[in-house]
Amino acid sequence: METPTIRLKDALDLLDGPAPVAVQWVKCDRRRKTGGDFGKLPAARIGRGTRQAAAELRAPRAGEESAADRASVAADGLVPVPKDPAHWRNATRNLVDTRTGALVKIHIYLLTHVAGRKVYI
């Protein structure tokens, strides 16, 4: 018996829904030159911004001199700037393990199975 399949778009819609689903993907880290293993989460869904992104510091630009900016300026004159993860441009998503609350960033084209169904593009 063959494994049922699901399109990537439908798999992302399923992950974006309210009910957590089982997910499997291929791990790949080009920076560390590791990968090929499978990652699994038995109950996951797309994250809703629960991770506190590290903010880089930069000098304030012209026009950013609001009261909130002045209040948040560090002692060296730099303001925190939240990082933009650019999930759509990079084809990544944050998955939340609903059992533990841990966040895992995955590349959507490396998804292999969602809800027990094989993902195809």
Side-chain angles (χ1 to χ4, degrees):
M1 188 169 152
E2 223 175 280
T3 305
T5 59
I6 186 171
R7 291 183 348 183
L8 178 60
K9 179 187 179 305
D10 296 331
L12 292 173
D13 288 341
L14 198 60
L15 282 167
D16 205 22
V21 295
V23 179
Q24 181 178 340
W25 69 96
V26 177
K27 292 182 180 181
C28 179
D29 189 340
R30 293 173 67 184
R31 189 175 351 130
R32 294 185 185 115
K33 297 182 181 176
T34 60
D37 299 329
F38 287 100
K40 295 180 183 180
L41 290 176
R45 59 186 211 37
I46 291 181
R48 302 280 189 252
T50 56
R51 178 183 290 179
Q52 293 294 326
E56 56 185 78
L57 294 176
R58 65 164 170 78
R61 297 182 186 135
E64 293 182 340
E65 304 285 332
S66 68
D69 288 334
R70 284 193 296 276
S72 66
V73 171
D76 54 2
L78 300 178
V79 296
V81 178
K83 287 187 174 183
D84 176 20
H87 288 302
W88 298 104
R89 184 176 58 227
N90 297 323
T92 58
R93 300 293 185 277
N94 283 337
L95 295 183
V96 177
D97 184 352
T98 57
R99 299 173 311 137
T100 64
L103 281 171
V104 179
K105 182 173 283 199
I106 63 157
H107 193 285
I108 62 172
Y109 296 117
L110 297 179
L111 279 172
T112 58
H113 291 83
V114 172
R117 295 186 272 179
K118 188 173 182 176
V119 176
Y120 69 95
I121 299 174

